[in-house]
């Protein structure tokens, strides 16, 4: 795998990741609610999901979802349901966790919960498996050992993903600091509405038929 291939992959990955999707919206929300430092747990969860998705595609799971209407539908509705749940929770938000705690409200959310939320959002999205199934082979040399190539692409994608999410989390933290409580409520609701819209688009998403 040449340096030009890796650079081209990183550029295309950056464009795809930076386009607002569930994981970057969660990074934005986590940054606004918990601060960048605690939002890192969610970034780690999303990065781990990158390795899971790419590993699954390398083992053929992406092809299975592309071929099986049943399993595609199962994963699709799991993902849409979870995104809808997160969106509703954000729409019902009363502001940042820090503000709630200062007022004697909700208990702080654990780093494990932040991690798991981001991880589950990615691994229950069948579009991710289909995306990698179509995307990764464009950068794989079929005449060379493929395991090492998939590992390299997974590492590059994870690095790009983490940095993009870090930027979104930082943006969310800065916005929360600027907007204070009332603005944080509306930021949560904006992200919640976006997650609900993504849940709806996923629910309507149809597997491409060859």
């Amino acid at each position: 795998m040449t340096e030009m291939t890796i650079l081209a992959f990183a550029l295309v990955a950056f464009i795809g990741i930076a386009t607002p999707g569930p994981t970057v919206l969660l990074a934005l929300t986590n940054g606004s609610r918990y601060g960048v430092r605690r939002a890192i747990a969610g970034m780690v969860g999303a990065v781990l999901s990158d390795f899971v998705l790419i590993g699954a595609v390398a083992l053929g799971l992406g092809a299975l979802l592309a071929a099986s209407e049943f399993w595609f539908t199962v994963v699709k509705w799991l993902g849409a349901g979870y995104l809808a749940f997160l969106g509703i929770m954000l729409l019902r938000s009363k502001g940042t966790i820090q503000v709630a705690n200062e007022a004697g409200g909700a208990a702080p959310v654990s780093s494990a919960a932040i991690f798991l939320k981001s991880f589950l959002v990615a691994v229950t999205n069948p579009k991710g498996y289909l995306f990698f199934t179509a995307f990764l082979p464009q950068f794989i040399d079929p005449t060379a050992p493929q395991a090492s190539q998939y590992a390299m692409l997974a590492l590059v994608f994870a690095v790009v993903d983490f940095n993009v999410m870090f930027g979104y989390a930082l943006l969310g933290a800065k916005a929360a600091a600027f907007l204070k409580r009332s603005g944080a409520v509306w930021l949560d609701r904006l992200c919640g509405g976006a997650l609900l819209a993504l849940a709806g688009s996923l629910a309507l998403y149809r597997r491409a038929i060859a």
Side-chain angles (χ1 to χ4, degrees):
M1 184 170 290
T2 66
E3 292 182 359
M4 287 302 298
T5 299
I6 294 173
L7 287 173
F9 175 80
L11 177 60
V12 176
F14 173 81
I15 295 171
I17 295 166
T19 303
T23 54
V24 294
L25 283 174
L26 277 181
L28 178 68
T29 303
N30 289 338
S32 68
R33 305 187 90 197
Y34 315 121
V36 176
R37 186 174 181 179
R38 295 197 62 209
I40 289 176
M43 301 176 210
V44 173
V47 165
L48 178 60
S49 74
D50 293 337
F51 287 103
V52 172
L53 264 65
I54 293 176
V57 167
L59 294 174
L61 181 57
L64 172 64
L65 292 180
S68 171
E69 181 69 30
F70 173 77
W71 288 113
F72 174 84
T73 302
V74 168
V75 177
K76 180 182 78 169
W77 284 108
L78 284 173
Y82 191 58
L83 282 178
F85 168 76
L86 294 178
I88 291 170
M89 291 298 100
L90 286 175
L91 288 177
R92 297 178 61 190
S93 169
K94 296 181 180 179
T96 66
I97 292 298
Q98 290 88 338
V99 172
N101 287 337
E102 290 168 4
V109 176
S110 69
S111 295
I114 298 172
F115 167 89
L116 189 61
K117 185 185 297 183
S118 294
F119 177 77
L120 289 177
V121 160
V123 296
T124 58
N125 187 349
K127 293 172 72 174
Y129 296 97
L130 298 184
F131 167 76
F132 281 124
T133 298
F135 177 51
L136 295 180
Q138 311 302 319
F139 299 91
I140 295 291
D141 181 357
T143 64
Q146 295 193 13
S148 59
Q149 294 184 76
Y150 275 107
M152 174 59 72
L153 295 181
L155 181 60
V156 172
F157 192 91
V159 170
V160 174
D161 196 11
F162 183 89
N163 281 281
V164 171
M165 287 187 294
F166 189 90
Y168 271 90
L170 184 61
L171 176 63
K174 295 294 185 182
F178 175 75
L179 295 171
K180 302 301 181 183
R181 178 170 179 150
S182 60
V185 171
W186 285 106
L187 182 60
D188 281 353
R189 290 177 180 172
L190 177 64
C191 291
L195 287 176
L196 278 178
L198 288 171
S201 69
L202 181 56
L204 296 174
Y205 188 74
R206 294 290 183 269
R207 179 176 60 92
I209 304 298

